């Protein structure tokens, strides 16, 4: 009950910490997750107005998804919130968001891939190499959908 209250707390610090506690609970007692609806609550937190809470929810769901696939669904509205959160959260949060997007995002077509690449390419020059590598991983996934050589060349120049 305390964890449920913490996930709904008005303080963003409490919510972000509670999200990570749910990931730890998944390692210790996965049955409790379904019993108390923690996965659904974390999925709701993907739309949290606080970028750090969103990033921690993504990190927790990614950990849970590794042992129980399907925990981290990426619907269009959630992906938009995740891209917005990239601009506001810290380095660790950016890595969590970029890695989750690289793993789970379904690239619809070349235009979608181009838009995603444009959104994350600035992170290639980030001071933290983990952020740069996570951005590169997502960009390379997107580049598989690109069809025009000129577009591919443009993005490869960004990487170089």
């Amino acid at each position: 009950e305390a964890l449920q209250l913490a996930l709904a707390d008005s303080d963003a610090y409490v919510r972000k910490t509670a999200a990570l506690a749910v990931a730890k609970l998944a390692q210790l007692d996965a049955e409790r997750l379904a019993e108390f609806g923690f996965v659904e609550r974390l999925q709701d937190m993907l739309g949290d107005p606080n970028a750090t809470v969103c990033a921690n929810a993504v990190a927790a769901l990614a950990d849970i998804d590794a042992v129980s696939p399907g925990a981290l669904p990426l619907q269009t509205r959630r992906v938009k919130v995740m891209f917005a959160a990239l601009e506001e959260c810290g380095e660790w949060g950016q890595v969590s968001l970029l890695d989750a997007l690289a793993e789970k995002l379904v690239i619809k077509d070349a235009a979608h891939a181009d838009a995603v690449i444009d959104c994350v390419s600035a992170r290639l020059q980030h001071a933290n190499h983990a952020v740069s590598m996570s951005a590169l991983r997502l960009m390379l996934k997107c580049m598989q959908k690109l069809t025009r050589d000129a577009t591919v060349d443009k993005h490869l120049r960004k990487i170089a």
Side-chain angles (χ1 to χ4, degrees), residues 16-152:
K16 81 171 188 83
T17 305
L20 296 178
V22 172
K24 186 62 174 178
L25 177 64
Q27 294 173 355
L28 300 174
D29 190 1
E31 294 173 6
R32 296 267 184 205
L33 294 179
E35 183 180 333
F36 291 105
F38 288 132
V39 172
E40 292 80 14
R41 182 65 188 116
L42 284 176
Q43 290 170 346
D44 292 342
M45 291 172 75
L46 292 177
D48 196 280
N50 184 287
T52 306
V53 173
C54 177
N56 280 18
V58 167
L61 285 168
D63 286 350
I64 295 167
D65 193 72
V67 293
S68 178
L72 184 56
L74 292 184
Q75 291 90 8
T76 303
R77 68 178 172 84
R78 287 187 175 149
V79 170
K80 289 178 182 177
V81 171
M82 290 170 69
F83 275 116
L86 272 174
E87 302 300 325
E88 300 173 25
C89 66
E91 295 171 344
W92 182 86
Q94 289 182 48
V95 170
S96 295
L97 290 168
L98 290 166
D99 285 347
L101 288 166
E103 186 71 28
K104 295 291 183 177
L105 184 62
V106 176
I107 306 299
K108 298 173 194 145
D109 54 28
H112 184 221
D114 197 41
V116 171
I117 290 171
D118 286 341
C119 187
V120 300
S121 62
R123 283 170 179 71
L124 291 174
Q125 298 174 355
H126 200 282
N128 184 325
H129 299 296
V131 174
S132 299
M133 293 304 293
S134 293
L136 179 61
R137 181 175 170 217
L138 178 55
M139 288 176 67
L140 290 173
K141 176 181 181 172
C142 292
M143 289 178 75
Q144 294 173 356
K145 286 285 188 177
L146 298 178
T147 54
R148 291 184 29 223
D149 289 339
T151 307
V152 173

